[in-house]
Amino acid sequence: MIYIINTKTFIFAKKNNMSDFENVVRSRRSIRNYEKTDHFDHDIVKKSLELSILSPNSSNMQLWEFYRIISPEAKEKIAYFCLDQVPAKTASELVVFVARPDHVKRSIKFNLDLINDPDNFEKESRKEKRRHYFSKTMPLFYSKDFLFVFSIIKKLIVTFTGFKRPSVREVTVIDKKVTIHKSIALAAQTFMLAVRNFNYDTCPLEGYDSYRIKKYLKLPKQAQINMVVAVGKSATDGVWYPQKRFSYSEVVKEI
Ligand SMILES: Cc1cc2nc3c(=O)[nH]c(=O)nc-3n(C[C@H](O)[C@H](O)[C@H](O)COP(=O)(O)O)c2cc1C
């Protein structure tokens, strides 16, 4: 159960019947202020990112990168680019989650190599289908598009085929961006829960200057910042407001 005492002090006590997983999920909060310490265990960030990498992701394309901001100088810079938000300024480490649509060729090769690996236990018929998927469908979906021309053509094709049978409608360059960011957000969530499992805290941030962060990290134009996650040990005033959500019946539709 989570107790919020005088809206500032955040005390967490595990209920007897709570599973470890429920405990981790229920005790995660966006922490806005972190303890100042020289004893932050940076290894838990490494371990949490190793778990993040196991997150489900669209077609196993893994179009993501994770930049650990560890040195005080780099942290100060990135915190400034995060508009000097308190969680960024007080965090022991910051992790920048980055989308890499420019890594498509590398990801296709990775998956084709996996299919062709002699140790791959996959059925031969499935291998053939997946080879086609990675050598034809993926290059088409992730193809570059000048002035949306290709997107419009693809959209017209799926609208037409959609009259006859169920078809994937998300084929434009904008859809491609959403697809990549969905997967990275899942990785970020795995990361935040993993950090919580190690008894540390996080705060996801999207209030930042992506242009300046990209420039500082020497990222190419095509790379996109998905979010920055602050990591540390919550200070006693780390939780700034109670956790409230719409109720189950308001947001869940049982059909
Ligand atoms: C994509 C995303 C971006 C966010 N950006 C910020 C941010 O820039 N600054 C901030 O203080 N909190 C940010 N948050 C945290 C949310 O405000 C927070 O998750 C929400 O209020 C619910 O609170 P809880 O995480 O403690 O349950 C962000 C959360 C998400 C998922």
Side-chain angles (χ1 to χ4, degrees):
M1 191 63 188
I2 296 162
Y3 303 97
I4 309 258
I5 298 171
N6 69 30
T7 70
K8 278 198 161 182
T9 318
F10 177 56
I11 296 179
F12 178 76
K14 187 179 164 183
K15 251 188 186 174
N16 283 343
N17 60 355
M18 219 193 262
S19 69
D20 289 344
F21 178 71
E22 187 176 353
N23 169 38
V24 165
V25 173
R26 288 195 183 277
S27 66
R28 184 215 59 80
R29 291 299 316 275
S30 290
I31 296 300
R32 273 34 183 259
N33 192 21
Y34 297 93
E35 262 179 14
K36 276 194 182 56
T37 173
D38 293 330
H39 306 293
F40 177 73
D41 181 5
H42 286 275
D43 208 39
I44 66 107
V45 177
K46 180 171 188 273
K47 286 183 187 146
S48 301
L49 283 172
E50 281 167 355
L51 294 173
S52 266
I53 290 166
L54 298 178
S55 301
N57 67 94
S58 182
S59 301
N60 201 31
M61 290 289 278
Q62 308 163 75
L63 296 168
W64 54 31
E65 271 180 348
F66 313 90
Y67 287 75
R68 296 184 58 191
I69 314 299
I70 305 169
S71 79
E73 305 77 43
K75 254 194 308 145
E76 198 181 320
K77 276 272 179 211
I78 299 289
Y80 175 58
F81 300 150
C82 290
L83 318 180
D84 267 340
Q85 293 192 64
V86 184
K89 282 204 297 187
T90 59
S92 296
E93 186 167 331
L94 295 164
V95 180
V96 186
F97 288 72
V98 180
R100 295 303 304 257
D102 51 322
H103 282 179
V104 166
K105 273 193 186 150
R106 171 186 178 240
S107 295
I108 288 175
K109 183 180 180 311
F110 176 92
N111 280 288
L112 285 171
D113 287 351
L114 185 69
I115 297 166
N116 295 330
D117 188 326
D119 289 339
N120 178 4
F121 54 81
E122 207 175 340
K123 275 186 192 162
E124 214 33 67
S125 56
R126 275 204 202 114
K127 277 187 187 173
E128 213 32 67
K129 274 191 193 148
R130 291 203 329 121
R131 261 188 215 111
H132 181 271
Y133 182 76
F134 283 106
S135 51
K136 300 276 186 279
T137 315
M138 283 295 96
L140 194 65
F141 179 65
Y142 284 107
S143 54
K144 289 196 180 111
D145 199 355
F146 184 62
L147 295 175
F148 286 85
V149 176
F150 210 33
S151 290
I152 294 166
I153 295 170
K154 284 195 278 187
K155 194 75 192 170
L156 283 172
I157 294 170
V158 294
T159 307
F160 183 71
T161 54
F163 285 127
K164 292 188 273 182
R165 57 172 190 272
S167 306
V168 173
R169 312 285 174 142
E170 288 71 28
V171 290
T172 68
V173 270
I174 296 162
D175 298 329
K176 181 174 89 174
K177 197 167 167 177
V178 172
T179 297
I180 299 172
H181 282 268
K182 272 187 212 170
S183 298
I184 303 177
L186 290 176
Q189 176 68 346
T190 304
F191 175 72
M192 292 187 279
L193 294 179
V195 169
R196 186 65 208 124
N197 193 45
F198 289 117
N199 258 307
Y200 282 92
D201 302 287
T202 56
C203 186
L205 304 168
E206 65 184 345
Y208 48 68
D209 181 333
S210 60
Y211 173 82
R212 283 190 160 85
I213 295 183
K214 275 170 64 175
K215 201 165 164 214
Y216 184 73
L217 298 177
K218 297 186 175 63
L219 287 165
K221 207 169 118 236
Q222 306 95 302
Q224 298 141 20
I225 308 299
N226 173 263
M227 67 178 93
V228 176
V229 177
V231 191
K233 191 88 175 158
S234 179
T236 50
D237 62 345
V239 174
W240 285 0
Y241 38 80
Q243 189 178 48
K244 273 277 173 198
R245 296 288 195 264
F246 290 114
S247 68
Y248 179 91
S249 61
E250 281 171 298
V251 294
V252 180
K253 314 293 168 197
E254 297 179 356
I255 296 170

